[in-house]
Amino acid sequence: MDGWQGLLRTIVVGRKDGIRAAIRRELNVGTWLDETESEPPPVEEPEAEPGWQWVAKVDDLPAEGQVAEVFAGDLAIVLVRVDGQIHAVDSVCPHAGGPLGEGDLDGTQLTCPWHGWAFDVTTGVCGVDAATRLDTFVVRVDGEDVFVAASPTST
């Protein structure tokens, strides 16, 4: 993503080390920052095979019908569980850059909280504009660890 779209992604979603990411970690993990610490405690990520990114532990996965935002490197990804299967999609709405990690899931439809555009988490297809697609990622569970493919399967 280049130009203004890349800038918008950085402003809205932020990088893994950005302000918004730090706020999300603060809200989701609890207080990790005190007077003596300037960074969150390190997360022991298992070594991933080439082409895969570790994103979570199985125990951290969302319950059926819930949404969880995770990071694969600097990319924010939404994990959802539908019919017992885990799906991963880009966390940024391609319509206007809305935070899909804060959206609602109804069946397979993930709705952006900003303008109500809905996307099928299994295919990435938008219900409002079929020409607009959300990036989807292959998910692999290995023991207690959850990995996503480093590259999306659709754009």
Side-chain angles (χ1 to χ4, degrees):
M1 202 178 299
D2 294 331
W4 68 270
Q5 289 178 327
L7 177 62
L8 182 61
R9 170 188 284 282
T10 301
I11 292 170
V12 173
V13 176
R15 295 174 41 90
K16 188 174 185 177
D17 57 351
I19 293 171
R20 182 169 175 174
I23 292 169
R24 282 184 284 196
R25 282 192 298 267
E26 176 79 19
L27 294 175
N28 291 333
V29 177
T31 304
W32 53 264
L33 195 62
D34 64 22
E35 298 82 35
T36 62
E37 292 185 81
S38 61
E39 296 183 16
V43 174
E44 289 192 31
E45 298 178 11
E47 191 167 321
E49 294 177 24
W52 293 92
Q53 284 277 344
W54 180 87
V55 292
K57 294 284 188 188
V58 171
D59 293 343
D60 297 332
L61 291 176
E64 187 83 20
Q66 299 295 311
V67 177
E69 188 175 57
V70 296
F71 287 97
D74 288 341
L75 181 64
I77 292 180
V78 172
L79 293 178
V80 297
R81 195 184 305 242
V82 176
D83 295 329
Q85 291 213 338
I86 304 162
H87 300 277
V89 296
D90 190 352
S91 182
V92 179
C93 178
H95 165 236
L100 292 173
E102 298 172 14
D104 292 318
L105 184 66
D106 184 14
T108 63
Q109 299 295 307
L110 178 60
T111 303
C112 179
W114 283 7
H115 298 112
W117 282 40
F119 299 88
D120 187 316
V121 295
T122 63
T123 64
V125 174
C126 178
V128 176
D129 177 9
T132 302
R133 295 182 63 91
L134 189 62
D135 284 344
T136 60
F137 298 83
V138 175
V139 177
R140 186 182 90 206
V141 177
D142 184 10
E144 296 180 16
D145 298 307
V146 181
F147 298 87
V148 296
S151 299
T153 57
S154 65
T155 53

